Amino acid sequence: MKLPSVYEPGKYENEVYSLWEEGGVFTADPDSSKEHFSISMPPPNETGTLHMGSALFVVLQDILSRHARQQGKDVLWLPGTDHAALATDNLVEKRLAEQGTSKHQIGREAFLKEVQQFVGGNRDRIVSQLKSMGASCDWSRMRYTLDPMLNRCVNEVFVKMYNDGLIYRGERIINWDPNLETTVSDDEVVHKEEKAPFYTLQYGPFQIGTARPETKFGDKYVVMHPDDKRYAQYKHGDSFEAEWINGPVTATIIKDEAIDPDFGTGVMTITPWHDHTDFEIAERHGLEREQIIDFDGKLLPVAGEFAGMKIDAARPKIVEKLKSKNLVVKSEDYTHNLALNDRGGGVIDPQIMLQWFVDVNRPAVNWKGQLRSLREVMRAVIEDGDIKLVPKRFERTYYRWIDNLRDWNISRQIWWGHRIPIWYKGEEVYAGTQPPKGQGWEQDADTLDTWFSSALWTWSTLINPSLAGDFNLSLDELLARSPDYKAYHPTSVMETGWDILFFWVARMILATTYATGQIPFKTVYLHGLVRAEGGKKMSKSDPDTIIDPMGVGQKYGTDALRLALVSGVSAGSDQRLGIGRVVDNRNFCNKLWNIARYTEGVAGEAQPKAAPKTPADHWILNKLSILTDGISADLDNFHFHQAYQKLYHFVWDDLADWYVESSKKEPRPSVLSAVLRSTLICAHPFMPFITEVIWRELGWDQQGLLAAQTKPEPIEFNRDESGKFEETRAAILAERAPDRIKKLLAEKQAVHRSIETLEKRLANQEYINKAPEELVQSTRQELNAQKDQLRSIETELESLKG
RNA sequence: GGGAUCGUAGCUCAGUUGGCUAGAGCGCUUCGUUUACACCGAAGAUGUCGGGGGUUCGAGUCCCUCCGAUCCCACCA
């Protein structure tokens, strides 16, 4: 025996991957006459580590890519990494804090140097981890979100939008994270329930409710619903005097329909600077607004004696003062939703700031010959079926999201990322892909939301990078001069998690249709989250939930991990992954390994040749052809799980348990080899390492790689012969089961069925009422007889077993 | 408040447009070490398909309703 009885993945995996790379089998060829197939990898954080979620996307995209190659297509799976602006910026800031300094102290340039240094030391890990998962990407086309060409594209799109009036700068209320000192987009705000005291305060003649007394210093408007009869005596615009926290104020009455008369007293005061709803009310009525809390989360001089205090510290003191002035009517416990930053967890404090926005409502996009708004185009590409979402139900949530879409705040007050290509000199503003000529220009300090650059990912990565510095070329010309773009865009499939449908998928649609006039991809396949066994999210803060794909891959083999992930996947649904599933699939790998060992034993290094003779030969070839077609069809429809099941049962049940067993009596080594050869090809997209190892160990194609093989040649078989084996198979099965028990079981089922029918009949009122008395009686007797029969069968079965 | 998904064997889940007696893996019971594999083989037990109603010749599958779980969006001061 050449092969050991147990497959040891660790001995082969690295070597096999290098062979693939050296063989150039993952390299795309845009000039090929073959049909092109392309996937853009969702770029993982360049300094991150591979977690189960990334392992899942690697497996699914790798299966699609390898399968497409087998179908004879020219495949580009383009890998890349993301600069993860906010996360990285934040991390480096923390490191600086540990050294007792901060980014503002050391300045922009020094800070960016720090980031580069940090990033540089961590960049290679994620790439080698992707490779160890078996990812068959074209590494020669690896991209990075801060590559010069990608930066160029960001600037080109920004300037184009700016010139089209789609980007504007304005004072808006935004979500401010005082900890990270940056804005957070609406989609990145998460809400957490929190119990907090809810105060009812006396404000002039009114009682108002609030959970945030610390924002109330500047309040000088009381708002109520125009139809609220309780307050009919007060007119819009009336003013009155009220004694307030730091003395008397003059307040004005505002009537607005945003107020819910049933909540609290139906009256509230507003703080336009620090609340979204209040801001909108103030906008509608042209009211004054005043900042109460600064960007560090401290109270401003308007707070009087409380100025300079952090809000958490100030709140109880303010309440105390209100109490002492007899302004607190009551306080009660109340659960409200606290807004938090999804990336970093700081409490969001809305602020009014000058920010850059993308206007989603201005009709400035030429789409299919019509001038439409970004929002309309985003809707149209799905409605018209240009882009298909899998599973389809996400279309509904997508439409809902589009309908509620507000202008996209794209400026971030961090330093790591694509800087906004806007320069100022006094009153002058310059927008350009290159800095303006002349002295005294100063670039906007903000960077762009990381999703702005990610939104261009499917095509900015396909432009010839060597053209990045050629500013004579327009964006259209850049695209036109890029063979990759022509061959691979729109991409065939976007495979990603449903959790970033809005962040990323929707933004790619927005930016790509606008900038290139093409859709970014034809199909979006959305997979679910990989959860821990109990259903909990795998998260760093809860180490018990985490299964490290790298550790598991090393221990049980990457193929076992890949199979475990595929076996649990279904479109749009989360899966629970326990180590048990990995073990099962490790066993499955070993099964395949031992089929190969057996084949090697009986066939030696004889070439596989398909000359079926026995019924079993025809039978297994029949099964094999069903498998080959089935897997193709399933993968075309993204039914990964089904394809996996077919493979599993073919290999274990049909091939190992029946064909190999039966061939022990009548060995047909050449057919066995041929079947195994085809099986390896079918299995390869799912379990690339072990299949490649067997392929080479069996020495059929010493120079060729399995990864380079196209789909197996169909082998002729005879259906009647195959049917004959079905019969022998049935006979063997019948022989295995002891006679008496078999008979009893059949009888038991028959009795069971008749009991059911009788019970059904007796349960039918029509039957009871209309049928003759005797008939109903006899039915009852029959039923009882059958039940007795069943009981006796069961007792006999028990005794036979005992 | 709006929406989505799920509820099938002890556990994790399949079940495509409604179609024979509802499946898989693990686990469990019994037997077996037959020279590919104990990371094995054979046999076996286990289900009111969440409850109720409807459409149909026929419903796990379609419709209504209720119960339970999860998630997303919006958010009331």
Side-chain angles (χ1 to χ4, degrees):
Chain A
M1 279 293 151
K2 216 171 90 190
L3 303 176
S5 72
V6 168
Y7 170 60
E8 289 173 69
K11 271 164 85 173
Y12 306 97
E13 289 186 357
N14 287 336
E15 190 199 333
V16 163
Y17 197 90
S18 323
L19 285 171
W20 290 333
E21 276 198 294
E22 286 159 23
V25 286
F26 304 154
T27 310
D29 176 13
D31 298 326
S32 163
S33 59
K34 295 173 178 174
E35 186 184 333
H36 300 296
F37 178 90
S38 52
I39 299 182
S40 296
M41 176 189 287
N45 180 348
E46 60 174 334
T47 63
T49 44
L50 194 98
H51 52 268
M52 269 305 166
S54 6
L56 178 63
F57 88 63
V58 170
V59 173
L60 298 181
Q61 289 168 37
D62 193 49
I63 289 174
L64 292 174
S65 299
R66 287 178 191 265
H67 182 249
R69 281 187 205 101
Q70 291 184 340
Q71 304 283 38
K73 293 177 186 166
D74 163 54
V75 173
L76 170 60
W77 181 17
L78 188 141
T81 53
D82 186 64
H83 66 282
L86 190 53
T88 309
D89 202 280
N90 190 10
L91 253 166
V92 174
E93 269 196 76
K94 266 187 196 150
R95 278 161 54 113
L96 289 176
E98 279 162 22
Q99 296 160 21
T101 177
S102 78
K103 73 174 181 183
H104 294 284
Q105 270 178 41
I106 65 172
R108 190 165 194 136
E109 235 169 274
F111 177 76
L112 289 179
K113 232 175 238 169
E114 281 288 323
V115 176
Q116 298 280 9
Q117 208 182 355
F118 167 76
V119 165
N122 292 289
R123 187 173 276 154
D124 297 334
R125 182 178 49 212
I126 189 75
V127 171
S128 72
Q129 289 183 331
L130 289 169
K131 287 182 178 177
S132 80
M133 282 302 296
S136 65
C137 329
D138 183 348
W139 295 105
S140 70
R141 288 177 164 82
M142 167 112 175
R143 296 289 183 268
Y144 171 46
T145 46
L146 289 181
D147 279 347
M149 181 46 98
L150 273 69
N151 179 249
R152 167 88 186 269
C153 290
V154 164
N155 292 340
E156 293 278 354
V157 172
F158 186 98
V159 171
K160 185 173 153 75
M161 284 183 158
Y162 183 83
N163 292 335
D164 280 345
L166 283 172
I167 282 184
Y168 66 92
R169 197 180 192 211
E171 276 208 327
R172 284 291 126 81
I173 186 149
I174 43 84
N175 307 300
W176 180 255
D177 181 340
N179 288 348
L180 300 185
E181 295 191 3
T182 185
T183 64
V184 179
S185 74
D186 291 343
D187 292 312
E188 278 167 321
V189 175
V190 290
H191 298 273
K192 207 180 105 193
E193 279 204 345
E194 188 207 48
K195 271 215 170 103
F198 182 79
Y199 303 99
T200 305
L201 307 176
Q202 193 68 44
Y203 188 78
F206 300 103
Q207 293 186 352
I208 57 146
T210 185
R212 297 196 62 190
E214 73 278 8
T215 64
K216 294 285 150 197
F217 293 101
D219 288 7
K220 46 189 171 189
Y221 299 102
V222 231
V223 193
M224 61 213 69
H225 197 278
D227 298 339
D228 196 328
K229 293 196 181 93
R230 288 171 293 180
Y231 307 110
Q233 68 198 90
Y234 301 99
K235 297 278 174 287
H236 181 86
D238 285 357
S239 61
F240 62 90
E241 295 286 319
E243 178 59 27
W244 199 223
I245 313 172
N246 290 334
V249 291
T250 308
T252 309
I253 290 168
I254 300 294
K255 302 262 182 166
D256 193 283
E257 293 183 349
I259 306 300
D260 176 3
D262 297 330
F263 185 85
T265 56
V267 184
M268 69 173 197
T269 62
I270 56 167
T271 314
W273 200 285
H274 298 290
D275 186 279
H276 285 90
T277 317
D278 295 1
F279 177 83
E280 280 164 20
I281 293 171
E283 284 281 282
R284 272 199 288 278
H285 301 284
L287 309 180
E288 286 173 42
R289 49 211 199 188
E290 186 177 11
Q291 187 172 12
I292 313 297
I293 303 162
D294 71 7
F295 296 113
D296 295 331
K298 292 197 190 105
L299 287 162
L300 288 165
V302 64
E305 66 196 86
F306 304 102
M309 292 176 79
K310 286 264 179 192
I311 51 178
D312 280 348
R315 188 178 299 165
K317 300 216 164 96
I318 294 166
V319 172
E320 230 170 81
K321 180 158 185 201
L322 283 163
K323 275 183 182 154
S324 73
K325 294 183 81 170
N326 259 333
L327 292 173
V328 179
V329 181
K330 61 179 171 179
S331 83
E332 52 206 318
D333 260 353
Y334 169 70
T335 12
H336 72 142
N337 281 321
L338 198 61
L340 300 169
N341 180 0
D342 198 21
R343 330 229 141 191
V347 178
I348 298 295
D349 194 9
Q351 295 272 8
I352 294 177
M353 283 184 93
L354 252 188
Q355 298 286 338
W356 289 97
F357 292 88
V358 171
D359 185 336
V360 294
N361 293 311
R362 185 188 169 92
V365 191
N366 190 342
W367 184 249
K368 292 185 178 173
Q370 275 184 317
L371 216 53
R372 306 251 198 120
S373 69
L374 289 166
R375 185 212 289 264
E376 284 164 348
V377 177
M378 289 168 88
R379 191 175 235 285
V381 291
I382 303 289
E383 273 176 348
D384 298 350
D386 297 326
I387 297 174
K388 206 174 92 186
L389 296 188
V390 180
K392 204 171 161 33
R393 63 182 148 88
F394 280 102
E395 290 182 6
R396 262 183 99 128
T397 44
Y398 178 84
Y399 292 140
R400 287 186 54 80
W401 181 80
I402 298 269
D403 293 342
N404 292 320
L405 193 60
R406 292 192 280 183
D407 286 354
W408 175 16
N409 172 208
I410 49 169
S411 43
R412 295 294 118 95
Q413 288 65 50
I414 54 176
W415 289 347
W416 179 236
H418 294 280
R419 198 158 169 186
I420 290 180
I422 292 279
W423 285 260
Y424 308 98
K425 185 159 97 181
E427 291 293 298
E428 279 180 88
V429 178
Y430 170 87
T433 53
Q434 291 181 103
K437 303 215 166 60
Q439 296 292 307
W441 289 96
E442 202 164 320
Q443 188 170 5
D444 194 298
D446 292 351
T447 51
L448 285 161
D449 180 10
T450 191
W451 298 107
F452 191 92
S453 56
S454 306
L456 320 180
W457 184 248
T458 58
W459 52 273
S460 59
T461 52
L462 296 175
I463 301 180
N464 184 348
S466 65
L467 301 175
D470 189 346
F471 286 96
N472 292 322
L473 297 174
S474 69
L475 181 56
D476 287 340
E477 286 164 332
L478 288 173
L479 293 170
R481 293 193 190 192
S482 300
D484 280 2
Y485 175 76
K486 284 193 243 171
Y488 301 113
H489 205 269
T491 57
S492 313
V493 181
M494 171 49 57
E495 196 289 319
T496 189
W498 56 256
D499 51 325
I500 54 173
L501 176 61
F502 304 135
F503 291 129
W504 194 40
V505 176
R507 263 74 186 258
M508 281 191 285
I509 295 175
L510 178 153
T512 305
T513 50
Y514 170 73
T516 71
Q518 286 192 358
I519 50 171
F521 29 68
K522 295 164 193 160
T523 304
V524 181
Y525 176 83
L526 297 163
H527 64 246
L529 265 48
V530 182
R531 293 176 177 275
E533 250 181 331
K536 275 193 195 167
K537 215 167 166 173
M538 286 192 187
S539 76
K540 280 182 204 158
S541 55
D542 192 354
D544 291 347
T545 60
I546 294 223
I547 302 181
D548 169 30
M550 291 299 109
V552 168
Q554 243 162 35
K555 189 163 177 202
Y556 300 99
T558 300
D559 292 318
L561 171 62
R562 289 172 59 115
L563 291 165
L565 284 165
V566 181
S567 74
V569 82
S570 82
S573 304
D574 297 348
Q575 67 165 305
R576 297 174 182 197
L577 180 71
I579 202 71
R581 277 233 305 279
V582 181
V583 174
D584 299 344
N585 283 291
R586 189 269 318 263
N587 296 352
F588 177 58
C589 291
N590 203 51
K591 193 72 188 175
L592 184 65
W593 181 254
N594 274 287
I595 294 172
R597 277 185 76 209
Y598 176 79
T599 309
E600 187 194 36
V602 295
E605 300 207 349
Q607 288 299 307
K609 213 170 72 192
K613 280 209 174 139
T614 66
D617 293 347
H618 290 281
W619 179 82
I620 194 69
L621 288 169
N622 186 6
K623 291 279 184 189
L624 179 65
S625 87
I626 294 172
L627 174 76
T628 314
D629 296 346
I631 286 183
S632 268
D634 286 341
L635 291 184
D636 287 346
N637 294 307
F638 304 101
H639 293 155
F640 294 96
H641 170 89
Q642 280 182 33
Y644 159 85
Q645 290 241 319
K646 281 176 183 149
L647 177 69
Y648 186 96
H649 286 113
F650 173 81
V651 169
W652 207 308
D653 301 349
D654 299 340
L655 183 54
D657 290 350
W658 284 99
Y659 186 71
V660 168
E661 286 307 319
S662 84
S663 79
K664 280 178 179 170
K665 286 176 202 147
E666 263 182 299
R668 309 273 314 136
S670 66
V671 178
L672 178 59
S673 305
V675 170
L676 178 60
R677 190 178 191 278
S678 298
T679 305
L680 291 177
I681 295 175
C682 282
H684 181 258
F686 301 88
M687 40 206 302
F689 289 106
I690 189 173
T691 48
E692 186 75 57
V693 172
I694 294 173
W695 185 268
R696 297 183 66 78
E697 290 288 343
L698 291 188
W700 298 322
D701 289 82
Q702 200 53 264
Q703 65 279 41
L705 289 165
L706 173 56
Q709 296 301 308
T710 50
K711 65 181 162 190
E713 297 280 312
I715 306 169
E716 291 294 315
F717 63 91
N718 183 308
R719 222 164 270 282
D720 294 337
E721 292 293 316
S722 165
K724 273 186 203 160
F725 186 74
E726 274 303 341
E727 281 166 32
T728 24
R729 196 163 154 268
I732 292 170
L733 279 172
E735 217 171 275
R736 277 178 188 163
D739 270 352
R740 180 59 187 157
I741 292 182
K742 207 179 96 191
K743 219 182 243 170
L744 285 172
L745 287 175
E747 229 174 287
K748 187 180 159 189
Q749 283 197 336
V751 172
H752 222 78
R753 247 175 296 162
S754 98
I755 289 177
E756 267 176 15
T757 331
L758 293 170
E759 276 176 343
K760 215 189 241 172
R761 201 182 299 168
L762 285 168
N764 186 347
Q765 272 307 313
E766 295 272 322
Y767 177 74
I768 302 289
N769 293 340
K770 291 177 185 165
E773 186 80 9
E774 299 115 38
L775 193 61
V776 178
Q777 279 303 328
S778 74
T779 309
R780 289 217 171 93
Q781 280 163 16
E782 175 72 6
L783 179 61
N784 286 333
Q786 292 284 348
K787 279 183 173 168
D788 287 342
Q789 176 83 4
L790 185 66
R791 236 168 279 140
S792 80
I793 291 172
E794 270 167 357
T795 44
E796 194 184 345
L797 277 171
E798 280 300 309
S799 73
L800 278 173
K801 269 184 247 156

